[in-house]
Amino acid sequence: MKVFLIGCGALGGAIARGVTKMPGASLVVFDLDHAKAVKIARETLAPVVKTVEEGFAGADLVVEAASQQALRELAPKVLGRGLPLVALSVGALGDARFLEEITRLARDKKTKLLNPSGAIGGLDAVRAAAEAGRTEVTLVRAKAPEGFGLHGLTEAKILYE
């Protein structure tokens, strides 16, 4: 399986390292900040592409780990090619029109739009706690409302538990 990773920040780096440990998986990386892509490529020995179109070639799965804006721009291109997309910048999906548009596109192209839930960034903390012998952990993640596409909130709100 060829995985095309878009976004080579902290989360993208963790994903890249995970993909390289998967039997039968290969990785290609892209970031608008080319230096970030090169850093991840050196660590994982993955090729770097200069354009997203170049990365789509031969990809079996696209993983977006860049930003909400990147997801808004990339999702129609990825799904329009019939490629499955793992969308990590889920705040962009707070826009009901955008979500409806890309869900319909995925359905029409018979592909998948995958939205992992949970505080992915907290997995390292959970793993560290397990290695320290803890058997129970409570992970709480707070994020600015704008990160979920919500504006004008004046108090904390639980979105999922």
Side-chain angles (χ1 to χ4, degrees), residues 18-73:
V19 168
T20 59
K21 294 176 185 174
M22 294 170 51
S26 64
L27 177 68
V28 174
V29 297
F30 171 82
D31 197 295
L32 286 177
D33 182 341
H34 190 68
K36 285 183 180 180
V38 168
K39 180 181 178 200
I40 293 300
R42 284 187 181 138
E43 184 180 338
T44 62
L45 304 177
V48 177
V49 293
K50 293 184 181 177
T51 67
V52 291
E53 287 75 19
E54 192 180 342
F56 293 147
D60 298 304
L61 175 70
V62 177
V63 178
E64 173 280 319
S67 68
Q68 289 183 39
Q69 184 59 36
L71 180 60
R72 285 184 186 96
E73 293 172 14

Side-chain angles (χ1 to χ4, degrees), residues 72-151:
R72 285 184 186 96
E73 293 172 14
L74 292 166
K77 293 178 184 179
V78 174
L79 298 169
R81 285 176 169 77
L83 293 169
L85 172 64
V86 177
L88 296 173
S89 300
V90 296
L93 304 179
D95 177 341
R97 279 191 186 152
F98 174 66
L99 178 58
E100 183 180 325
E101 171 194 336
I102 62 174
T103 300
R104 186 175 338 125
L105 184 57
R107 192 175 300 121
D108 291 348
K109 293 293 183 171
K110 296 181 178 22
T111 191
K112 295 187 185 265
L113 171 63
L114 305 163
N115 314 96
S117 64
I120 293 170
L123 291 179
D124 286 338
V126 172
R127 180 177 36 223
E131 289 175 6
R134 301 244 183 222
T135 59
E136 188 174 321
V137 174
T138 300
L139 180 63
V140 177
R141 169 102 184 205
K143 189 170 181 172
E146 294 79 15
F148 292 99
L150 303 171
H151 303 280

